[in-house]
Amino acid sequence: MAHQAHAYHMVDPSPWPLTGAVAALLLTSGTAIWMHFNSMSLMSLGMILLLLTIYQWWRDIIREGTFQGHHTPPVQKGLRYGMILFITSEVFFFLGFFWAFYHSSLAPTPELGGCWPPTGITTLDPFEVPLLNTAVLLASGVTVTWAHHSIMEGQRKQAIQSLTLTILLGFYFTFLQGMEYYEAPFTIADGVYGSTFFVATGFHGLHVIIGSSFLAVCLLRQVQFHFTSKHHFGFEAAAWYWHFVDVVWLFLYISIYWWGS
Amino acid sequence: MSHEEKLKNYRTAPFDARFPNTNQTRNCYQNYLDYHRCNKALTAKDKDPAPCEWYHRVYKSLCPIAWVQKWDDQLEAGTFPGKI
C-alpha cells in the first residue's frame, strides 16, 4: 500500500471551491439585478449556495483535521500563515474606509459649512452607548483569552463558560449597536458624514457578526471534544479574528465617535 | 495705510500665505465668511462696516460667480451651512 513520504496534506478533489465561485458570481450579479430590476431571485440563490458552501467546506476541513489527522505541524503552520494573511487583507480593507473618513473630515468643504461635524449633523455622544460598546468588546477580549487558557489547561467547563460569555458579549454589542442605528438622528443618506459613519461602522458590525459565528462554531466543537490542550487552531484563528474586530472598533471609536464629534 | 487708500490701490487679491497652494477654494470661502462676519460684528456694535469692504473685494476677485450666487441665496433662505 503506498503512503505519502511527507507531512503535507494533499487535499482530495472537492466541489466546494466551484460552488463558492458560482455563489460569488450569483451574489454579485444578483445584487446588481436587485438594485436595477427589483428581483431578489438571483441574489437569494447566491446566498443559499454560499451558506451551503460555507457549511460543507468547513465541515470537510474539520473532518480532515480533527478526525483524519491530516493537520500535522507543518500543515497547521500553513493554516496559521493563511489566517494571518487573511486578517492582514481585512486590515487593508478597513484602512480604505478610514482613509475616506479622514479625507472628508480633515478638510471639510464649504458645502458642509467648512466644519466637522458638518452643519446640521447631531452626532452621538461618545460617552454614552458607544463607550459601553467599547467596554463590552474589551471585556470580550478578556473572556476569549480566558477561554484560550482554559483550553490549554484542559479545563473543559471553564472553557465552555468563558467562550459562551464571549459570544454573549458579542451579541450584546450587536444588539446595542442595532439600537443605536435605529435611534440615530442621522442616516446613511445624510451627506458624507452619514456615508462614512454607516459604511465604516456597518462593515465593522458585519465583522462582529462573522466573528461571533466563528466563536459559536468553536463552542460547538469544544462541547463535542474536538479540541485538545495542544491542538486547537480553529479556536486560535477565531480568537485572532475576534481581537482584530476589537482593535478595529477601538480605531472607529477614537476616530469617528470621539475625534469626529 | 488707511482702508480708503488700500481700497483705492486694490487691483486684485494679493498673495495670502494662509493659502499657499494652487487650490484657492478655501481662500475664496474664508473671505466670503470674513466679510459677512465682519459686517455682522461691526453693525452689532453700531460701528462703520467700511473695513469689511476689503474682504468683499477679495472674494469678488477670487470666487466663481456661481458660488457667490448660491451662497447669497442660501443666506437669504437661512440655509447657509457656514458659521457667520
Side-chain angles (χ1 to χ4, degrees):
Chain A
M1 196 156 67
H3 290 103
Q4 64 183 50
H6 60 81
Y8 296 97
H9 184 197
M10 302 302 286
V11 186
D12 289 331
S14 164
W16 313 130
L18 180 60
T19 62
V22 171
L25 174 63
L26 291 175
L27 271 174
T28 46
S29 53
T31 305
I33 299 279
W34 176 51
M35 288 178 176
H36 292 274
F37 301 112
N38 196 29
S39 163
M40 284 209 268
S41 315
L42 224 55
M43 190 176 68
S44 315
L45 190 55
M47 200 67 219
I48 291 166
L49 194 52
L50 178 67
L51 291 168
L52 284 170
T53 303
I54 283 172
Y55 174 71
Q56 293 175 104
W57 194 339
W58 277 324
R59 173 208 63 192
D60 285 355
I61 293 173
I62 292 171
R63 285 173 175 175
E64 292 158 7
T66 305
F67 303 138
Q68 297 173 349
H70 287 290
H71 289 182
T72 60
V75 171
Q76 204 194 112
K77 193 160 166 230
L79 292 170
R80 285 174 190 277
Y81 275 129
M83 192 64 196
I84 288 170
L85 287 170
F86 172 65
I87 291 177
T88 305
S89 78
E90 293 248 77
V91 168
F92 282 106
F93 179 70
F94 277 96
L95 233 47
F97 297 119
F98 278 100
W99 182 355
F101 169 74
Y102 278 111
H103 175 97
S104 297
S105 58
L106 285 168
T109 60
E111 286 82 357
L112 305 174
C115 53
W116 193 275
T119 305
I121 296 283
T122 24
T123 59
L124 301 171
D125 186 341
F127 299 114
E128 293 197 350
V129 174
L131 187 58
L132 174 59
N133 270 341
T134 305
V136 167
L137 282 185
L138 286 174
S140 72
V142 170
T143 54
V144 81
T145 306
W146 173 17
H148 191 198
H149 284 267
S150 303
I151 292 173
M152 291 191 289
E153 289 160 26
Q155 303 262 32
R156 177 183 167 77
K157 200 171 77 153
Q158 279 204 37
I160 290 169
Q161 284 173 347
S162 49
L163 190 42
T164 304
L165 193 46
T166 308
I167 295 164
L168 287 175
L169 287 167
F171 284 165
Y172 188 35
F173 176 93
T174 303
F175 168 75
L176 286 169
Q177 194 68 325
M179 292 269 86
E180 282 285 272
Y181 271 28
Y182 185 73
E183 301 283 340
F186 53 86
T187 72
I188 197 171
D190 285 323
V192 75
Y193 184 88
S195 299
T196 50
F197 181 90
F198 283 107
V199 169
T201 62
F203 271 118
H204 173 262
L206 176 64
H207 284 70
V208 170
I209 292 167
I210 291 169
S212 302
S213 307
F214 197 170
L215 289 166
V217 167
C218 288
L219 179 59
L220 252 61
R221 296 185 67 201
Q222 164 68 9
V223 164
Q224 296 181 314
F225 299 93
H226 287 202
F227 299 136
T228 74
S229 59
K230 289 275 182 290
H231 190 165
H232 44 263
F233 176 65
F235 173 82
E236 288 183 68
W240 290 350
Y241 195 78
W242 193 251
H243 287 304
F244 155 71
V245 160
D246 187 9
V247 170
V248 170
W249 171 259
L250 294 174
F251 278 98
L252 281 174
Y253 180 73
I254 302 286
S255 307
I256 297 182
Y257 285 91
W258 195 351
W259 177 82
S261 69
Chain B
M1 221 195 276
S2 68
H3 31 256
E4 292 89 11
E5 279 175 40
K6 259 173 67 170
L7 287 169
K8 206 169 80 131
N9 293 332
Y10 187 89
R11 294 291 169 265
T12 189
F15 173 71
D16 189 337
R18 295 176 299 167
F19 314 106
N21 297 325
T22 307
N23 187 335
Q24 292 288 293
T25 302
R26 192 75 198 190
N27 194 351
C28 145
Y29 185 63
Q30 195 60 54
N31 278 286
Y32 184 87
L33 285 176
D34 289 345
Y35 171 65
H36 287 95
R37 288 173 182 173
C38 173
N39 260 339
K40 182 172 173 198
L42 289 181
T43 51
K45 292 188 189 170
D46 278 321
K47 296 212 182 114
D48 179 20
C52 306
E53 188 55 25
W54 174 261
Y55 301 120
H56 191 211
R57 292 287 187 96
V58 173
Y59 88 67
K60 280 254 177 269
S61 302
L62 292 175
C63 299
I65 301 173
W67 294 11
V68 176
Q69 277 171 356
K70 184 177 74 185
W71 294 335
D72 287 343
D73 292 343
Q74 284 176 338
L75 275 176
E76 217 174 317
T79 59
F80 183 71
K83 288 185 184 83
I84 303 284

